[in-house]
Amino acid sequence: MVVLAASIVSKSGKVLVSRQFVDMSRIRIEGLLAAFPKLVGTGKQHTYVETENVRYVYQPIEGLYLLLVTNKQSNILEDLDTLRLLSKLVPEYSMSLDEEGICKTAFELIFAFDEVISLGHKENVTVAQVKQYSEMESHEEKLHKLVLQSKINETKDVMKRKASEIDKSKIEKSRGERGGFKGLQGMGSGRIESSFSEMSISNSGSGFGSGSGFGLTTDADSFSSKPKGRPPSSASAPPKGLGMQLGKTQKTNQFLESLKAEGEVILEDVQPKAASSKLAAPPPTDPITLTAEEKLNVTLKRDGGVSNFDVQGTLSLQILNQEDGLIQVQIETGGNPGILFKTHPNINKELFSSENILGLKDPNRPFPTGQTGDAAGVGLLRWRMQSVDESLVPLTINCWPSVSGNETYVSIEYEASSMFDLRNVIISVPLPALREAPNVRQIDGEWRYDPRNSILQWSILLIDNSNRSGSMEFVVPPADSSAFFPISVQFAATSTFSDLKVLNILPLRGGSPPKFSQRTQLIAENYQVV
């Protein structure tokens, strides 16, 4: 038996992973894999297809094909045995059996294929042995990493002690030169010492705390501080001799850090970030975090109606401590008959169907733990809902362009369903090429014009019961109505269509259930009006 290649391809013929075990050109393997979808017939029970030169032995895996390309002299029974072993390995390494999941774990799958097939011949191994060979944990490597990390930590401790000693010596020296800051706070603001003391130690929190007191800013307000309870005249002008000075901010921050180390309470200003920056999800603090996320793909027709409505949801589990891995998750679904749930291959389906409990088939096997920065977690459950019912659409957009003389008047209105409160809504309207920004005459919310991409963005921070509908009107030079489509929409919500809730965490070893938290979000992944 000689296996030429082991591959995973989509039903449309797209090659996701392919591992060749004999010397063959790339053009040949691509030609063989490209011909496979054309040879597979519909409604047939066969798991192999033969051509003049090769034999295809395959097995469907959800929307994909696991495929072995062999020569015609190979033993088909051994080929089927090899195929069965590979089909057991794929779910072990890929948490989701779709294109995205396979591509994310492509190298892990290739390494596993190499352990099963060597030079075209099957090795006598099991799934457990393949996983053990692939991991190959080295005690010497772990020991080396521990020693290296201990040296790094020791160096950091020494650096902190040295920095603390230097800061303390600077503080003592500055106190000796100035004779103490507290005695100078009652003096007028025209002196350097008084102004310095007010801006760094007063409860106003401005000045040096924000890093803008002596940076590259030329505004007079940046050099002064307005503490609460003091007259504005005490900080109306900057003191003399303290103009723009490069490098001053770093020294001041060091001085403030030293005061904080001695127990002084210093309030600092925090500069607000730009509104366009996305808020990152906070890292999990509870031992167990479950995230229910739904991605919404909707295509609406400009004249009304729904062309596509697709909701895809996932429930992921993230465990910080390894000792909390032996658990089961009890959930409650909203009872929506249009939603189809599908568990991970390693989850006990019978337990989920009868009691709505998510647990591994092997109760002695713990769930994998993840790092704090790993926001993805382990996928437990997936669901999907498709419909053409327009009443399920959370946000509808109506666009009415009309040409009048040398101008085009565009009126856009939105209507939001009462099912969801939408946050960070951005409606992006394409515009024809313009020399200047459009004339926005009326808007419920805020707008921004992107001249590079010629897009007008209408943003609403929150849509709730107080503003379920809104409108915007703007004027541009004459243009065809099709130039304002497709309209793209982005938003998020804290409730979902499935209304999935986590009721309890059931420990398998007994004892009190560990603390857990649940995050729920709905994201408009691809939401357009065409």
Side-chain angles (χ1 to χ4, degrees), residues 247-255:
K248 192 73 174 180
T249 305
Q250 184 178 1
K251 295 181 181 179
T252 306
N253 290 337
Q254 292 178 357
F255 178 72

Side-chain angles (χ1 to χ4, degrees), residues 125-336:
V125 293
T126 62
V127 175
Q129 289 175 334
V130 171
K131 295 188 68 175
Q132 180 182 0
Y133 297 158
S134 299
E135 291 175 359
M136 286 301 290
E137 295 183 358
S138 172
H139 178 71
E140 289 78 6
E141 181 183 3
K142 288 184 178 179
L143 183 61
H144 173 73
K145 289 183 177 180
L146 289 175
V147 172
L148 183 62
Q149 186 63 38
S150 64
K151 291 182 179 179
I152 294 175
N153 295 335
E154 184 179 356
T155 305
K156 288 182 179 179
D157 294 338
V158 174
M159 180 181 65
K160 290 180 180 179
R161 288 197 300 267
K162 293 293 183 181
S164 178
E165 293 175 1
I166 293 173
D167 291 339
K168 287 182 180 180
S169 63
K170 287 183 179 180
I171 293 173
E172 295 296 334
K173 185 177 179 181
S174 61
R175 283 180 177 175
E177 292 176 356
R178 293 180 173 84
F181 288 107
K182 294 183 178 180
L184 296 174
Q185 286 184 357
M187 301 176 66
S189 61
R191 298 187 59 184
I192 298 177
E193 294 85 1
S194 175
S195 179
F196 182 88
S197 176
E198 288 177 4
M199 286 186 285
S200 60
I201 307 180
S202 66
N203 291 331
S204 65
S206 56
F208 288 97
S210 62
S212 62
F214 293 91
L216 298 176
T217 307
T218 57
D219 295 338
D221 293 340
S222 300
F223 293 91
S224 61
S225 172
K226 295 183 180 181
K228 295 180 180 179
R230 299 193 183 190
S233 59
S234 63
S236 58
K240 296 181 180 180
L242 291 182
M244 186 187 301
Q245 299 183 11
L246 297 176
K248 192 73 174 180
T249 305
Q250 184 178 1
K251 295 181 181 179
T252 306
N253 290 337
Q254 292 178 357
F255 178 72
L256 290 179
E257 293 295 332
S258 303
L259 292 179
K260 288 180 182 179
E262 293 186 352
E264 294 287 345
V265 178
I266 300 175
L267 299 178
E268 302 180 357
D269 276 347
V270 178
Q271 296 282 345
K273 295 183 179 180
S276 61
S277 61
K278 297 182 179 179
L279 295 177
T285 56
D286 294 317
I288 298 175
T289 302
L290 293 110
T291 303
E293 181 183 73
E294 287 185 353
K295 295 182 179 180
L296 186 60
N297 294 274
V298 175
T299 304
L300 303 175
K301 300 176 183 178
R302 67 182 73 176
D303 298 328
V306 179
S307 177
N308 177 44
F309 182 88
D310 182 58
V311 179
Q312 296 184 9
T314 57
L315 177 64
S316 58
L317 170 68
Q318 189 170 0
I319 302 176
L320 297 183
N321 304 319
Q322 189 173 4
E323 56 269 16
D324 295 330
L326 289 171
I327 59 171
Q328 291 179 339
V329 181
Q330 185 177 10
I331 66 172
E332 179 186 42
T333 59
N336 191 333

Side-chain angles (χ1 to χ4, degrees), residues 12-13 73 75 309 346 413 418-419 474 526:
S12 61
Q73 291 75 30
N75 189 334
F309 182 88
N346 293 333
E413 62 178 359
S418 59
M419 294 187 298
F474 62 91
N526 187 9

